[in-house]
Amino acid sequence: MAETLWDWLGEHLAVDVLNTVQRRGDVTHELLNEPQDLSSWLGHQAHRAPVPEPVDVELLEEFVAVRDAALNLARASVKGRLLPGADVETINVIARRSIS
């Protein structure tokens, strides 16, 4: 992916995470396709969150999985639907791991 300009950053960190997927009409655009994309995004967020090392495919996959779970929860909440259990568990696993 060409160098992405993250000029829209600056919302609450959780919103910035969710916005790494953008919709234009009915088309969803993934902004984090390669570890370098995540590294760039993390670099712009370094004043708000630590930048893990290394930023590799494994970290990218984990970040996207958590982001997707959070996005699914946000969409369900906005629509007044029950929260998807698998997505709740994904977030809970990460939360438990971060406080251990």
Side-chain angles (χ1 to χ4, degrees):
M1 176 173 162
E3 177 65 25
T4 301
L5 298 176
W6 302 102
D7 60 350
W8 48 265
L9 293 177
E11 296 294 332
H12 188 282
L13 185 58
V15 174
D16 280 354
V17 169
L18 298 181
N19 282 336
T20 59
V21 171
Q22 295 184 340
R23 287 188 61 128
R24 293 184 191 107
D26 291 335
V27 179
T28 300
H29 297 274
E30 174 63 66
L31 300 180
L32 302 175
N33 296 295
E34 300 176 20
Q36 296 84 351
D37 302 329
L38 179 57
S39 183
S40 174
W41 185 87
L42 287 167
H44 283 83
Q45 299 288 2
H47 65 288
R48 302 195 304 173
V51 178
E53 289 292 332
V55 178
D56 56 13
V57 171
E58 183 178 325
L59 182 64
L60 174 62
E61 289 172 353
E62 183 175 24
F63 184 95
V64 169
V66 171
R67 188 265 333 263
D68 287 351
L71 193 55
N72 290 338
L73 294 174
R75 287 176 177 157
S77 180
V78 165
K79 293 178 181 179
R81 295 184 179 155
L82 290 176
L83 301 180
D87 295 314
V88 170
E89 183 59 21
T90 296
I91 298 300
N92 285 341
V93 166
I94 294 298
R96 284 190 296 270
R97 192 170 69 198
S98 70
I99 59 173
S100 316

